[in-house]
Amino acid sequence: MTAVKRADARKNIESIMDAATACLARDPDVSVAEIAKAAGVGRVTLYGHFESRATLVTQVVARAIQQSDEALGAVDLDGDPRAALRRLLEASWKLTQQYGALIVAAEQSMPHEQFQAIHVGLIDRWKPLMERGRSEGSFRDDQPLQWQLTLLQSVLHAASGAVYRGEIDAAEAAGLIDGTIQAALTAPE
Amino acid sequence: MTAVKRADARKNIESIMDAATACLARDPDVSVAEIAKAAGVGRVTLYGHFESRATLVTQVVARAIQQSDEALGAVDLDGDPRAALRRLLEASWKLTQQYGALIVAAEQSMPHEQFQAIHVGLIDRWKPLMERGRSEGSFRDDQPLQWQLTLLQSVLHAASGAVYRGEIDAAEAAGLIDGTIQAALTAPE
């Protein structure tokens, strides 16, 4: 392959990955034909780079996971645990919005264990902060840590569904998530 | 058909419905053969009463919904809104546990709109209490009512998943659900 052809191939792969990310984030059942169209390439070209829809979805998800992990890793978790939690929830919500239905596509196209392992990896980003907040008395510790981690994830997921169904505005979601979680992590008097 | 045959048919239908409820509550993908076996009837008998797996699932779900609605309708919602909410959450959690994976089977085998309509019907049972608690000052009203209803459902769902994955004990789940929801419905000072 010549250098020009290799550069073309790289450009096509990138266009396909970007188009697939955007398409899957809107509709987890989007067809390969639609992704190819959005990427501005033919189906034959797409299948030349990705042997199946599942391969494409897996690679798109892997890249989204890596970017999500980097984004969460960049959040400042020092200082007041409740302020740090607010920053972490904001970043997590932004990723939830950005990747949307991609998570549904991932669940459908990869083995359940693999999906769980990836998900757990992201949630591990929350764990040290939750542990610190519990031990410093900022968060209630009368409930298992694991339950609180599940709750965080569940509230983000609930907000995503509520925005999708038009029950709440995307703009107010971050505030609702933070207001709900901060209250849930406060033990009643 | 003779009276005896009719009585036999009724008994078979009941056995199949009960077996299907129990089997689907454990495994949403359970086969018709397994349901027939659990009911103590042959597959031919089962298909004589239910023309397809989808028909059987739909009827089992319809019955579970009706029983759930009756159970929720029997909860005393008078008096202190927080105590009433505790009773309602306990009853809702019991149903979540009882029917378990049946809800997954329902999602898979009925049209999305029908499933949503049924679900919304059950959630409407929570609405008057939530409205009263908000207007009486027992629950925070700085968040949309719809969000709080979504949250209730989401926390029940999260607990169900956490018990299924072995993260929390079924015995402690009711307390965690109530402790989490009551806190989440309390506005920070």
Side-chain angles (χ1 to χ4, degrees):
Chain A
M1 210 190 267
T2 68
V4 171
K5 275 192 179 164
R6 272 199 300 273
D8 276 353
R10 263 202 307 274
K11 217 186 92 213
N12 279 342
I13 290 172
E14 206 169 308
S15 302
I16 294 166
M17 296 274 285
D18 288 346
T21 304
C23 291
L24 289 164
R26 276 195 305 271
D27 173 13
D29 300 316
V30 67
S31 70
V32 166
E34 284 171 274
I35 294 172
K37 199 180 156 195
V41 303
R43 283 183 56 187
V44 174
T45 302
L46 189 149
Y47 279 118
H49 295 299
F50 303 93
E51 66 175 20
S52 68
R53 186 181 185 280
T55 307
L56 174 57
V57 172
T58 302
Q59 293 199 27
V60 163
V61 169
R63 191 179 67 164
I65 300 283
Q66 198 199 323
Q67 288 171 350
S68 299
D69 199 49
E70 282 166 14
L72 293 183
V75 176
D76 171 16
L77 297 183
D78 293 336
D80 174 42
R82 287 199 174 254
L85 180 61
R86 182 165 299 128
R87 292 191 291 272
L88 192 58
L89 286 172
E90 263 171 28
S92 300
W93 171 243
K94 218 170 127 183
L95 294 167
T96 304
Q97 282 286 89
Q98 186 179 343
Y99 293 123
L102 190 56
I103 204 154
V104 179
E107 272 185 292
Q108 286 169 355
S109 69
M110 54 173 68
H112 184 68
E113 288 67 27
Q114 195 188 344
F115 179 78
Q116 273 299 112
I118 285 168
H119 219 212
V120 165
L122 285 177
I123 287 166
D124 275 349
R125 286 275 183 197
W126 297 340
K127 211 170 167 178
L129 171 61
M130 292 303 296
E131 281 168 342
R132 183 166 72 84
R134 285 163 63 100
S135 71
E136 290 179 7
S138 293
F139 305 140
R140 70 195 292 181
D141 63 357
D142 62 336
Q143 298 187 329
L145 171 63
Q146 185 56 54
W147 168 250
Q148 293 178 333
L149 292 171
T150 298
L151 183 70
L152 258 63
Q153 188 189 340
S154 164
V155 171
L156 281 163
H157 188 82
S160 182
V163 168
Y164 179 77
R165 293 187 300 271
E167 293 168 6
I168 59 174
D169 286 342
E172 64 178 333
L176 288 174
I177 292 166
D178 185 62
T180 300
I181 292 288
Q182 301 278 359
L185 293 177
T186 307
E189 304 288 294
Chain B
M1 211 190 269
T2 68
V4 171
K5 275 194 179 165
R6 271 200 300 272
D8 275 354
R10 262 202 308 275
K11 220 187 88 212
N12 278 342
I13 290 172
E14 206 170 308
S15 302
I16 294 166
M17 295 274 286
D18 289 346
T21 303
C23 291
L24 289 164
R26 277 195 304 271
D27 174 13
D29 300 316
V30 67
S31 69
V32 166
E34 284 171 273
I35 293 172
K37 199 180 155 193
V41 303
R43 281 183 57 186
V44 174
T45 303
L46 189 150
Y47 278 119
H49 295 300
F50 302 92
E51 66 175 21
S52 69
R53 185 180 186 280
T55 306
L56 175 57
V57 171
T58 302
Q59 293 199 25
V60 162
V61 168
R63 192 179 67 164
I65 301 282
Q66 198 198 325
Q67 288 170 351
S68 299
D69 199 49
E70 282 166 13
L72 293 184
V75 176
D76 171 17
L77 297 183
D78 292 337
D80 174 41
R82 288 199 173 254
L85 179 61
R86 181 167 300 127
R87 292 192 291 271
L88 192 57
L89 287 172
E90 264 171 27
S92 300
W93 171 243
K94 219 170 127 184
L95 293 167
T96 304
Q97 282 286 90
Q98 186 179 343
Y99 293 122
L102 191 56
I103 206 156
V104 180
E107 271 185 294
Q108 287 169 353
S109 70
M110 53 172 70
H112 184 69
E113 287 69 26
Q114 194 187 345
F115 179 79
Q116 273 298 111
I118 285 166
H119 219 210
V120 165
L122 286 176
I123 288 165
D124 274 349
R125 287 275 183 197
W126 297 340
K127 210 170 168 177
L129 171 62
M130 292 302 295
E131 280 170 342
R132 183 166 71 85
R134 286 163 63 100
S135 72
E136 291 179 7
S138 294
F139 306 140
R140 71 196 292 182
D141 62 357
D142 62 335
Q143 297 187 328
L145 171 63
Q146 185 56 54
W147 167 249
Q148 292 177 334
L149 292 171
T150 298
L151 183 70
L152 258 64
Q153 188 189 340
S154 164
V155 170
L156 281 162
H157 189 81
S160 182
V163 168
Y164 179 77
R165 293 187 300 271
E167 293 167 6
I168 59 173
D169 287 342
E172 66 178 334
L176 287 174
I177 293 166
D178 185 63
T180 300
I181 292 287
Q182 301 279 0
L185 293 177
T186 307
E189 305 287 293

